[in-house]
Amino acid sequence: MYQLDAFMADVERKNPAQPEFIQAVREVAETIIDVVNENPAYLYAKVMERLAEPDRIFIFKVEWEDDNGEVQVNRGYRVQYSNVLGPYKGGIRFHPSVTLGTLKFLAFEQTFKNSLTTLPMGGGKGGSDFNPKGKSDGEIRRFCRSFMMELQKYIGPETDVPAGDIGVGAREIGYMYGTYKRLRDEHTGVLTGKGRNWGGSLIRPEATGFGAMYFAEDMVRTQGDTFAGKTISVSGFGNVAWGAVMKATELGARVVTISGPDGYIHDPDGVNTQEKWNYMLALRASNNDIVEPYAEKFGVEFFPNRKPWEVKVDMAFPCAIQNELDGEDAQTLVANGVRYVVETSNMGCTAEAVQVFKKAKVLFAPGKAANAGGVAVSGLEMTQNSMKLSWLSEEVDERLKQIMKAIHASCVASGKTEDSSYIDYIKGANIAGFKKVADAILDMGY
Ligand code: 2IT
């Protein structure tokens, strides 16, 4: 039998100074421990201990030259967490906050998220503490080249398939793919999020945001409520937020905020036109990491150094980074009558925030379920690459929709509570994601 406290004490002892990893493991352990304790095969095979440890981790030096001719040194990582369900799969993050603990938490989450997608993908994550902010195109290219010179030793289309994440979009994937191709002389599906002319899938750039909205639509529908007409706050202004505001608008809702590290903008009419969406892309491409110019351009209010969670909305979608929404933010949202919170960034809410939502019976979707659309379309990109075919955007979008529906249904099936109108999506996602991985571990022995 597992005791949660003893198990977590062991995880804490083995992973000192990695609070995000411990937070992510605790959240899963809390919700699956009964399932494990009731299943002698899981207990005998020690699945909990085995899933609290990544298969392997690579840490490497990335040397590159900046525009002043100065040599710079960053640290690169790839965490290969679990390949029980398929090749390691997960994004690469370039952000100054990246540490080994961050990437271990992301790779852990990715393992269960990928399991939920129903596609054959294991879990992994990589990245660097490189800060793309203010870097020239040449600097980004030289960094990506150097990063891939080392990473290429550990990845492959049947082994480990990285993609983008914060700070890594189509441009960076292009530079990394180009480097891989030159070194290996192979044109393969070793990365996803590729350009559409060279093996990328349609809808991949939009997929995370689209998927979160499909998931949210099902949450709302399950309550007998309607999505159209809802007021929504979104944080971030990058790729994920961009997909989210476009799909929310198409489905009849109104997104009234986007944000950056500098503050948030409040656009009461909605971030709802092609011009505004294109401007988000331009802001992102400028590499300045600020959202304030949107307020000037569209004549709306900007709130410096504040978070969008103080705006009264029906639904909130954190789309930026882990732990961006804390207990206090959660209390403000609840006081303002929020009904649904859909974590679109990975672990966007602190453990305290999650407790506040739970207590207030706010329906809360965890990132590993709600944001799985991105990696799901990455999985579909792998399928297309294997077939050496590309699907039309309608086909990819339809498959994405079906996958999000299936994830929602498995969350509902495993997340029922005594209160028939309240679904514990965290429990549902964790149990459904965990069971598949754990059963595969049993099938394969050790
Ligand atoms: O967090 C995520 O799921 C991603 N960054 C996407 C990973 C992927 O392999 O597409």
Side-chain angles (χ1 to χ4, degrees):
M1 287 284 277
Y2 284 102
Q3 302 295 336
L4 184 66
D5 289 347
F7 174 75
M8 283 311 302
D10 204 40
V11 172
E12 284 179 29
R13 183 181 57 74
K14 285 184 177 157
N15 302 279
Q18 296 182 346
E20 293 155 335
F21 179 67
I22 290 161
Q23 182 185 343
V25 174
R26 180 183 295 280
E27 188 214 85
V28 170
E30 273 170 5
T31 48
I32 61 161
I33 196 156
D34 291 345
V35 174
V36 175
N37 281 335
E38 284 157 15
N39 188 327
Y42 288 166
L43 284 173
Y44 180 74
K46 296 219 166 113
V47 283
M48 293 266 280
E49 282 95 332
R50 288 161 75 182
L51 284 168
E53 199 67 49
D55 287 354
R56 69 187 69 77
I57 297 170
F58 300 100
I59 303 183
F60 49 93
K61 180 171 62 167
V62 187
E63 301 165 326
W64 57 284
E65 190 183 352
D66 71 16
D67 286 346
N68 299 321
E70 218 179 287
V71 175
Q72 301 287 344
V73 183
N74 285 95
R75 191 172 291 174
Y77 307 87
R78 185 72 185 167
V79 179
Q80 295 184 336
Y81 206 96
S82 164
N83 65 353
V84 166
L85 296 183
Y88 302 106
K89 180 83 196 88
I92 293 176
R93 175 175 296 189
F94 292 163
H95 193 270
S97 68
V98 164
T99 62
L100 178 57
T102 316
L103 296 176
K104 274 174 67 181
F105 118 65
L106 288 163
F108 175 83
E109 289 284 287
Q110 197 81 47
T111 300
F112 301 106
K113 183 197 305 192
N114 292 2
S115 162
L116 285 170
T117 66
T118 70
L119 301 174
M121 300 184 288
K125 200 86 185 189
S128 173
D129 58 357
F130 173 74
N131 187 0
K133 182 176 171 171
K135 300 289 189 297
S136 71
D137 187 65
E139 289 174 325
I140 301 267
R141 178 168 39 79
R142 291 194 292 280
F143 179 81
C144 288
R145 288 252 133 129
S146 186
F147 185 85
M148 184 52 96
M149 295 268 280
E150 182 67 23
L151 184 68
Q152 58 95 15
K153 297 173 191 169
Y154 317 119
I155 62 176
E158 308 296 339
T159 314
D160 182 356
V161 183
D165 192 76
I166 296 171
V168 178
R171 172 176 60 167
E172 291 75 17
I173 293 291
Y175 294 148
M176 288 194 267
Y177 191 78
T179 307
Y180 185 92
K181 184 173 66 58
R182 281 173 68 178
L183 291 167
R184 299 289 192 92
D185 214 5
E186 281 172 8
H187 213 300
T188 71
V190 67
L191 299 177
T192 60
K194 298 187 290 298
R196 53 186 293 189
N197 295 330
W198 40 278
S201 176
L202 291 167
I203 309 286
R204 177 64 190 87
E206 298 90 341
T208 310
F210 278 21
M213 289 300 157
Y214 294 146
F215 192 93
E217 221 191 355
D218 266 0
M219 288 173 82
V220 170
R221 195 178 294 131
T222 305
Q223 298 300 310
D225 196 359
T226 38
F227 189 82
K230 290 275 182 289
T231 306
I232 291 177
S233 54
V234 159
S235 64
F237 67 101
N239 191 247
V240 173
W242 170 76
V245 298
M246 291 193 295
K247 186 53 77 178
T249 306
E250 189 193 316
L251 299 177
R254 190 161 44 100
V255 178
V256 294
T257 66
I258 53 172
S259 74
D262 55 333
Y264 77 90
I265 64 95
H266 184 211
D267 188 344
D269 290 343
V271 184
N272 56 4
T273 62
Q274 190 67 50
E275 192 191 1
K276 290 174 178 177
W277 303 333
N278 289 345
Y279 192 70
M280 286 174 76
L281 293 180
L283 274 180
R284 170 54 63 208
S286 74
N287 261 17
N288 289 326
D289 216 12
I290 51 170
V291 81
E292 186 177 5
Y294 180 102
E296 286 149 33
K297 176 144 174 91
F298 296 106
V300 299
E301 231 180 320
F302 172 66
F303 295 87
N305 304 316
R306 302 185 72 94
K307 296 194 269 182
W309 316 126
E310 60 193 25
V311 176
K312 180 176 162 53
V313 289
D314 306 310
M315 308 180 83
F317 286 72
C319 294
I321 200 163
Q322 69 270 8
N323 292 329
E324 56 175 305
L325 195 161
D326 63 22
E328 228 174 279
D329 299 325
Q331 261 152 8
T332 310
L333 279 165
V334 169
N336 281 331
V338 76
R339 289 270 293 127
Y340 307 87
V341 176
V342 184
E343 214 179 36
T344 313
S345 46
N346 291 307
M347 207 166 75
C349 297
T350 64
E352 204 190 333
V354 171
Q355 284 316 313
V356 172
F357 293 136
K358 209 168 174 179
K359 217 169 132 216
K361 292 268 168 94
V362 168
L363 288 152
F364 175 82
K368 66 170 75 68
N371 76 27
V375 75
V377 174
S378 276
L380 300 178
E381 184 170 326
M382 290 166 74
T383 308
Q384 293 168 77
N385 291 166
S386 298
M387 298 192 304
K388 303 197 187 301
L389 281 175
S390 48
W391 289 329
L392 299 174
S393 62
E394 291 76 17
E395 172 149 18
V396 180
D397 196 24
E398 187 51 36
R399 285 178 187 268
L400 168 63
K401 223 177 271 177
Q402 293 314 320
I403 289 170
M404 295 315 296
K405 266 197 177 310
I407 297 175
H408 185 268
S410 28
C411 288
V412 172
S414 302
K416 290 203 176 76
T417 65
E418 293 108 66
D419 176 350
S420 63
S421 68
Y422 185 74
I423 295 155
D424 185 343
Y425 283 95
I426 299 185
K427 186 173 142 208
N430 287 344
I431 291 177
F434 167 80
K435 270 190 177 163
K436 262 181 76 181
V437 183
D439 289 343
I441 288 176
L442 297 186
D443 291 345
M444 291 181 202
Y446 51 90

